[in-house]
């Protein structure tokens, strides 16, 4: 099947530069969207077709559209950063494209070719490049590719029609007033994903499953939920939107990908960045008892979470029904901050890109 070309049908009335600059002065996260979006259709027997860049706007869907009932949906998240010379580059779009294919397989959806995924992101960023924040800070343009089942009907089966869409949203610095640790609620009765389930796919259904636990965390005064494995309720998995790292002095350890947690691109990148900086970095199973005991005996010196949106977030207080403890006196740890700067420096183009992660545009 041939790769579709993306036809450019830009808006005749993009937002004025003044309005755009006003938004870019304080974009927050996921609140404003750029002038355009890319859409590509898939139909059984025909494959991918009708790729186009069009003005950002509502999708028109029949109320019986499959995704609205059975949640056959997957998504991605990646960022474009302004480089020192004023150009723009995205971070590891090929890794997101491959994960999008893996998610598609899990949800019985068609796989978008890697080059088409990257081209769709490139075309949108190129068109809306004035929306990429200035170089130097942590601001970026967040890209949200997603795919939905668009067949109309209430039959339960893989759909015969899909829509792939990419939208873009300027993202401000995650920590406006300096990096601050998040508090974690350890959910011992709710699970995010089960073995054989879809915990390793990036799909909205996993997020729907996590909202109640998130609300319970808020009741306990916590910012985020940490999930344990669904079988033994013993092994630490992830935060439901971010992966976890445990810092043992000079060594960093992240939970092994057992199939029920998501393979984060940030998680993977940090294994390499840490080794480049002379740290040992490994994947291992970490139990909840070990988390607590090693914190109390002082061997576990820092804990942080990582993901595209916040890059790295230190973990401060951890609360569970059985008690509460605090990492690194509630301050961001040294290794945490060092890794955060090192990864951000690659992304904003001020450190050597020795793994070829940056994908320049134009
Ligand atoms: C997206 C996501 C992450 C983080 O992945 P990155 O590729 O680093 O952004 C972690 N866990 C879940 C469940 C996610 O959906």
């Amino acid at each position: 099947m041939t790769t579709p070309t993306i036809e450019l049908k830009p808006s005749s009335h993009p937002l004025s530069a003044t309005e755009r600059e006003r938004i870019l002065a304080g974009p927050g996260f996921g609140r404003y969207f750029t002038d355009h979006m890319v859409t590509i259709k898939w139909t059984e027997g025909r494959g991918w077709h009708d790729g186009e860049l069009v003005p950002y706007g509502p999708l028109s869907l029949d109320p019986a559209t499959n995704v609205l009932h059975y949640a056959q949906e997957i998504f991605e998240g990646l960022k474009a950063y302004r480089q020192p010379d004023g150009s723009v580059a995205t971070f590891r779009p090929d890794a997101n494209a491959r994960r999008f294919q893996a998610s598609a397989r899990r949800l019985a959806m068609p796989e978008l070719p890697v080059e088409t995924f990257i081209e769709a992101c490139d075309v949108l960023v190129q068109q809306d490049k004035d929306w990429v924040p200035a170089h130097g800070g942590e601001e970026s343009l967040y890209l949200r590719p997603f795919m939905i089942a668009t067949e109309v009907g209430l039959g339960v089966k893989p759909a015969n029609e899909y829509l792939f869409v990419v939208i873009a949203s300027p993202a401000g610095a995650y920590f406006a007033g300096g990096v601050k640790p998040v508090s974690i609620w350890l959910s011992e009765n709710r699970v995010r994903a089960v073995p054989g389930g879809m915990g390793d796919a990036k799909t909205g259904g996993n997020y729907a499953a996590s909202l109640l636990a998130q609300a319970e965390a808020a009741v306990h005064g916590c910012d985020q939920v940490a999930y344990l494995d669904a079988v033994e309720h013993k092994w630490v998995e992830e935060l439901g939107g971010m992966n976890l790292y445990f810092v043992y002095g000079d060594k960093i350890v992240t939970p092994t990908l057992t199939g029920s947690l998501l393979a984060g691109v940030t998680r993977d990148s940090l294994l390499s960045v840490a080794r480049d900086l002379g740290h040992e970095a490994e994947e291992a199973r970490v139990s909840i008892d070990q988390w607590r005991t090693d914190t109390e005996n002082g061997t576990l010196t820092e804990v942080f979470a990582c993901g595209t949106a916040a890059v790295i977030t230190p973990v401060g207080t951890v609360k569970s029904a059985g008690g509460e403890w605090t990492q690194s006196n509630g301050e961001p740890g040294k290794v945490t901050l060092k890794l955060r700067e090192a990864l951000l420096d690659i992304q904003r183009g001020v450190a050597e890109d020795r793994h070829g992660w940056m994908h320049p545009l134009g």
Side-chain angles (χ1 to χ4, degrees), residues 99 192 202 207 238 240-243 262 264-267 307-308:
R99 187 171 67 190
R192 191 189 79 92
K202 207 167 173 75
Y207 282 74
E238 59 155 296
M242 283 189 269
N243 293 109
L262 195 92
V265 176
T266 318
R267 173 191 179 279
T308 297

Side-chain angles (χ1 to χ4, degrees), residues 41-54:
K41 292 178 179 153
W42 186 91
T43 311
E44 199 167 82
R46 203 173 156 194
W48 297 101
H49 62 91
D50 286 331
E52 50 185 27
L53 172 132
V54 291

Side-chain angles (χ1 to χ4, degrees), residues 221-234:
C222 293
D223 306 310
Q224 293 278 338
V225 181
Y227 292 93
L228 302 177
D229 79 285
V231 178
E232 294 180 75
H233 295 280
K234 172 178 176 182

Side-chain angles (χ1 to χ4, degrees), residues 68-91:
L68 300 177
H69 303 272
Y70 306 128
Q72 201 186 6
E73 183 268 357
I74 57 173
F75 68 95
E76 271 303 328
L78 66 158
K79 283 177 167 177
Y81 287 88
R82 182 77 62 185
Q83 303 298 294
D85 65 358
S87 68
V88 175
T90 48
F91 182 70

Side-chain angles (χ1 to χ4, degrees), residues 34-169:
T34 66
D35 294 304
H36 298 89
M37 61 185 185
V38 169
T39 60
I40 309 178
K41 292 178 179 153
W42 186 91
T43 311
E44 199 167 82
R46 203 173 156 194
W48 297 101
H49 62 91
D50 286 331
E52 50 185 27
L53 172 132
V54 291
Y56 181 94
L59 304 173
S60 171
L61 297 175
D62 186 287
T65 300
N66 223 273
V67 64
L68 300 177
H69 303 272
Y70 306 128
Q72 201 186 6
E73 183 268 357
I74 57 173
F75 68 95
E76 271 303 328
L78 66 158
K79 283 177 167 177
Y81 287 88
R82 182 77 62 185
Q83 303 298 294
D85 65 358
S87 68
V88 175
T90 48
F91 182 70
R92 303 191 69 183
D94 54 320
N96 294 90
R98 284 193 304 273
R99 187 171 67 190
F100 198 63
Q101 290 187 325
S103 298
R105 285 193 295 276
R106 179 62 187 84
L107 276 97
M109 299 169 97
E111 288 177 46
L112 185 72
V114 168
E115 5 13 299
T116 309
F117 179 101
I118 296 174
E119 190 195 344
C121 294
D122 285 1
V123 161
L124 181 59
V125 176
Q126 192 66 47
Q127 180 70 40
D128 287 337
K129 62 177 177 301
D130 291 344
W131 284 88
V132 182
H135 169 75
E138 294 183 11
E139 295 85 356
S140 61
L141 184 65
Y142 181 80
L143 305 179
R144 168 54 62 88
F146 63 99
M147 175 167 33
I148 56 174
T150 47
E151 184 178 350
V152 174
L154 301 182
V156 180
K157 62 176 184 62
N160 61 15
E161 280 178 25
Y162 295 88
L163 181 69
F164 169 73
V165 186
V166 191
I167 56 176
S169 174

Side-chain angles (χ1 to χ4, degrees), residues 7-28:
E7 197 184 335
L8 303 185
K9 300 176 177 172
S11 171
S12 53
H13 50 275
L15 211 60
S16 72
T18 323
E19 284 290 315
R20 192 180 59 236
E21 290 309 324
R22 185 149 54 220
I23 291 172
L24 289 179

